[in-house]
Structure formats: structure tokens, C-alpha cells
Amino acid sequence: MDNQEKEPMFSAKNLKLLTEPFGINNPITVQVLGICSALAVTVKLKPAIVMALSVTIVTAFSNLAIAALRKYIPDRIRIIVQLVVIATMVILVDQLLKAYVFDVSKQLSVFVGLIITNCIIMGRLEAFAMANKPWPSFIDGIGNGAGYGLILVVVSFFRELLGSGTIYGYPVLEKLGIFNLGYESNGMVILPPMALIFVGLIIWFQRSRSKSLIEK
Amino acid sequence: MENLLNIFIKSIFVDNMIFAFFLGMCSFLAVSKSVKTAMGLGIAVIFVLLITIPVNFLMEKYLLKKGAMIWLGEGFADVDLSFLTFMVFIATIAAMTQLVEMFVEKFSPALYNSLGIFLPLIAVNCAILGGSLFMQEREYENVLEATVFGVGSGIGWLLAIVSIAAIREKLKYSNVPDPLKGLGITFILTGLMAIAFMGFMGIKL
């Protein structure tokens, strides 16, 4: 307890927890967690952003809850306890989405529910929250959720721009008059397989920049 | 009968868990390094889907839907527990995988040894929960249809993971650019395979 009081809220260590998932410790491209939902919701920017926010919230708060409870959870049943905590958070998020952004919630369909089995959350609970204090765990949750969101936003930005010629629903290419020059949207980019290929390209890009991540 | 066959074929090829919905990608990427382990995990997934989907179907029908609890008496006709769906489904899945694990360990130690650590991990495989949620969304009419859908999805998943594992085994001998090695090339390969699988789209028996 003493230690925590001495440590400032945003010490260098905590800041690192927040920023590392954006780069060298990204949950999707480096830790390979949470791919399932990442790919299916990236056709348009809007559902991707909503999904990123939901995952960040669930990761942060379930990390916080599990970190606070970590000393009272028996080891044998910890998976079930974690699932119950996550499921509760996801139910809250799902009900909120249904109440305030119903159209997006319809688009995301089963993928909101699938946040429960999103490996990022379980992975962070197991790897971080079970062994750390609530506040760093909370920051770690936000960092990883946002790192996941970053990839989602990048992929969906390109897919929306190339596939339907819009950004966040705004017809950019049409306003710029590019369609008049004979350009056509690439319908292929909207199809699910292209999400995989885009993530593959992002991984390629990232690893050719930071050589330490290259697999042997 | 025709309807069942249609659901079966559709869940294997058209609505393939991996290539159309990316469900169970985490274990798909982590365990697809050799054909043998991929096969073990695939069989375990079929097994668990076969059991959890009908059970969750019954849960949905007699517990969660609006008016589902009418069998308890008139007073329960208005109860709507559908907001508890996630909780009930994931609890069922976790309990069922635990049961399956104990059952297999007792009656078929050989199978248990070959499935090894995969069984408990399946509880958090998105393909399992995804199967149940799709089952709920598509509103299958009876238990039989739901079961056939479950087995079909499982077989589709097995097909996908075994084929990617086979490709990765061969990939060791090819000259892939360094930054693309491992994860990157697997992603791109899966994408290409998914494009191939799109050829099945629209098939109806």
C-alpha cells in the first residue's frame, strides 16, 4: 500500500503500460490476441470505432475488477470468475449500445457478445490483472483496448475509403470528383477476406520497421 | 431432411466459421503449426459444438426468450430474461467443456491425451460462443436443426485449421520475406483461402 501512495498516478512505468500497446506490444499484431472480432467489424469506420470503444471499456473495467479481487479468487475456478465478470461488463455495454446507437448495435450483431471470448480481455486478465494492483491494471486495460482499437480504425479507414469511397459515411471521393475521372470503388475490399490481407500488410509494415519483432 | 442437409452444407462451406466470420482465429493462428495438433483441436471443437449448441438451444427456448418460462405456470408468461443470454450461454459452455473433459478423461484416456490442453481452452474459443449466438440469431426451429448446424460449423472449422496447418508445414521450405515470416504470411494466406471459399457462396441444395 505504501508503495502505491508514493508512486504518482502517471509514473513513467504506468505511462509505458499505456503507450506500449500502440507499438511494439500491440495486442493484434504482436500478441495475436482478439483477432476474431477485429476483422468482422472493419467494413466501415463507425462500427469499428464503436467496437473499439466497447472493447476498451470492457478491458479496462474487468481488469480493474479482477485486480481488486485477485487475492480472493481461488486459483481453480478463476476462469469462471473471470468469465462472469467479463460477461457482466459486456451485458452492460450491449444494453447501452441497444439503447443509444441501435443501428450500429444491429450491424455489430453477435460481435458485441463475442467480446466475452475476445482473447485480449482474458489474456490481459491472466497475464496482468491477476498479478498487479488495480490502478496499473486499469491503465493496462485502457492501453490494450486502445491498441486494439488503433488497428481496427486503420483497417476500417482503408477498407471504407477503397471499398465504398467514403470516410465515416462522408462521400470524400465523390466530392473530390475522382469518380468522374473513371475511378471505381473496389468492391473486393468490402468482402471479409480482405480484412485478413490488410492486417497481414500492417504486420509486414510494422515488422519491417522494427526488426526486433521479426520471427525466426 | 432436405432442409437439414442444406443447413449442414451451408454451415460447413458458405458460412464457414473461419473464412466467413473469423471466429476462433486466436487458436486458429496459435495451434496451426502442425497438422497433428490442428486435427486434435478441430475434433475437440466439433465435440464441444455438438454438445453446447443443443443445450444452449434448449436454454434459449425454455428459459431466456420472452414467454419461454410459461411451462412453469401462467404467472411466468411475461418474464423476459433475454438480457441474460451472454451470461447463461458462457456459463453453459464453461460447464459443458468441464464435463466433457472429465467424461473423456474417464472413458477414453487415449483421446484425452491427444486432446491434451486444448479441451479446457475451448471454453474461451470464440467459435463456440459464436456458434451459440448465431444459432440464436438465425432462429432454428428445433433441436435437430440446431445440432446439425453445430456439427456442420465444427467440421468447417476443422477443415479450415487442418488445411492452413498443412500449408504452414510446407511453407517452412519457401523463401518468405523476413518481416512477413510467421504471423504476417499466415494472415495473407488465410485471406487468400477465404477468397477461394467465397466460391461456395450462394450454394443451395
Side-chain angles (χ1 to χ4, degrees), chain A residues 23-50:
Chain A
I24 57 161
N25 205 7
N26 189 282
I28 293 188
T29 61
V30 181
Q31 303 176 46
V32 211
L33 296 174
I35 319 260
C36 324
S37 53
L39 301 170
V41 299
T42 51
V43 178
K44 291 261 156 72
L45 258 175
K46 197 173 173 196
I49 291 175
V50 172

Side-chain angles (χ1 to χ4, degrees), chain A residues 116-134:
Chain A
I116 299 177
T117 49
N118 193 321
C119 338
I120 291 184
I121 301 173
M122 283 300 271
R124 287 334 286 174
L125 290 183
E126 280 285 295
F128 200 89
M130 288 301 281
N132 283 284
K133 294 205 178 76

